[in-house]
């Protein structure tokens, strides 16, 4: 159980660091771009979405590897074992959409719960970041 906790913690820390770096780089980049403020916001949204996609892939790779390894559990249902199915599953978990067409079993279930919580926090962080950026650029017109 301690190994599961440590692996899950490492995956979450990786996702949070990636998210922080994306938002930090956007904070540095957006004011330097010489375009209309509307386009800066669009670039900010695109950067945040790209960051989320990278984070989803981190979790997806973990699901893919855990599914293939002994002792971590497995995914069943509308899941053929491919990396793209793991990415689809990760997107539904990260966004807390959870269609339910793929079910986790075994130790792998713990990562799905923490991914949902992580996704919720990181999406909220992005929303807060974009709100601050919108205020900054819209107040300077």
């Amino acid at each position: 159980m301690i190994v599961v906790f440590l692996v899950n913690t490492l995956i979450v820390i990786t996702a949070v660091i990636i998210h922080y770096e994306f938002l930090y780089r956007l904070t540095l980049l957006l004011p330097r771009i010489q375009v209309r403020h509307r386009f800066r916001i669009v670039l900010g949204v695109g950067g945040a979405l790209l960051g989320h996609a990278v984070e989803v892939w981190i979790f997806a790779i973990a699901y893919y590897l855990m599914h293939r390894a002994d002792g971590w559990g497995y995914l069943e249902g509308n899941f053929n074992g491919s990396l793209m199915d793991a990415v689809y599953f990760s997107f539904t978990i990260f966004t807390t959409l959870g269609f339910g067409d793929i079910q986790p079993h075994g130790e792998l279930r713990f990562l799905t719960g923490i991914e949902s919580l992580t996704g919720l926090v990181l999406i909220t962080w992005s929303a807060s970041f974009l709100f601050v950026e919108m205020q900054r650029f819209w107040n300077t017109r």
Side-chain angles (χ1 to χ4, degrees):
M1 188 66 173
I2 192 76
V3 173
V4 172
F5 175 78
L6 292 175
V7 168
N8 289 347
T9 301
L10 180 64
I11 294 165
V12 169
I13 288 171
T14 302
V16 170
I17 289 170
I18 288 169
H19 198 75
Y20 172 83
E21 286 299 321
F22 264 90
L23 295 185
Y24 178 71
R25 303 294 175 192
L26 284 172
T27 300
L28 297 177
L29 177 68
L30 291 178
R32 300 162 111 197
I33 298 174
Q34 300 300 318
V35 295
R36 298 184 75 177
H37 63 277
R38 291 180 182 147
F39 298 118
R40 286 185 188 137
I41 298 304
V42 170
L43 289 173
V45 170
L49 288 173
L50 180 61
H52 288 296
V54 169
E55 295 148 18
V56 165
W57 273 84
I58 296 295
F59 281 98
I61 291 168
Y63 290 128
Y64 179 76
L65 294 174
M66 287 177 177
H67 175 76
R68 295 192 171 281
D70 291 332
W72 285 95
Y74 60 96
L75 297 169
E76 76 170 358
N78 192 16
F79 183 77
N80 66 11
S82 70
L83 179 58
M84 289 311 291
D85 272 359
V87 172
Y88 162 78
F89 178 68
S90 183
F91 265 110
T92 63
I93 297 300
F94 189 87
T95 60
T96 68
L97 187 60
F99 287 126
D101 56 339
I102 300 173
Q103 300 85 31
H105 296 278
E107 305 292 344
L108 204 137
R109 293 175 302 150
F110 297 108
L111 186 58
T112 61
I114 196 69
E115 183 183 8
S116 293
L117 181 59
T118 303
L120 177 66
V121 169
L122 297 184
I123 290 168
T124 304
W125 189 2
S126 292
S128 299
F129 167 80
L130 292 170
F131 176 76
V132 169
E133 291 299 314
M134 281 189 272
Q135 280 194 321
R136 179 171 20 161
F137 294 125
W138 286 353
N139 287 337
T140 60
R141 328 191 258 180

